[in-house]
Amino acid sequence: PTYPDAIGRRRIGDGWRHVRIEFELKSRTFHDHGHNAEHCDLIVCWEDNWPECPVEVLELKGVIATLGKIPTPLLRRTPGVI
């Protein structure tokens, strides 16, 4: 297996910055696997169970929970697709 799992890009001002991403089911697994926080910019996980995590965490469970709260007119829809 490789580390990190992916390299993404994040828009910063007028430019783009590379972001080193690790995917885990739970954020604490990053620590349990012995990964070095200095080599990762973002952990994408289902559940953030590591409050003292030194790396930015994107918890998908929380993101998905907010999707039903977005007013329908703000969602982009593709014509002909349900």
Side-chain angles (χ1 to χ4, degrees):
T2 60
Y3 172 77
D5 292 326
I7 302 293
R9 295 190 318 157
R10 175 180 278 170
R11 189 172 187 107
I12 306 291
D14 292 335
W16 293 89
R17 185 180 78 128
H18 282 98
V19 179
R20 299 164 297 180
I21 305 167
E22 185 69 13
F23 298 99
E24 301 288 357
L25 179 62
K26 296 181 179 183
S27 57
R28 179 75 187 183
T29 307
F30 179 90
H31 175 272
D32 297 343
H33 286 165
H35 293 316
N36 185 339
E38 292 183 15
H39 300 135
C40 185
D41 302 304
L42 177 65
I43 298 172
V44 176
C45 60
W46 179 251
E47 181 181 341
D48 183 7
N49 65 339
W50 188 18
E52 65 278 0
C53 181
V55 178
E56 179 183 357
V57 174
L58 174 61
E59 182 187 54
L60 296 178
K61 180 171 66 172
V63 171
I64 289 173
T66 65
L67 292 178
K69 298 175 185 173
I70 300 172
T72 304
L74 297 180
L75 295 175
R76 285 192 234 158
R77 301 206 184 272
T78 304
V81 177
I82 297 176

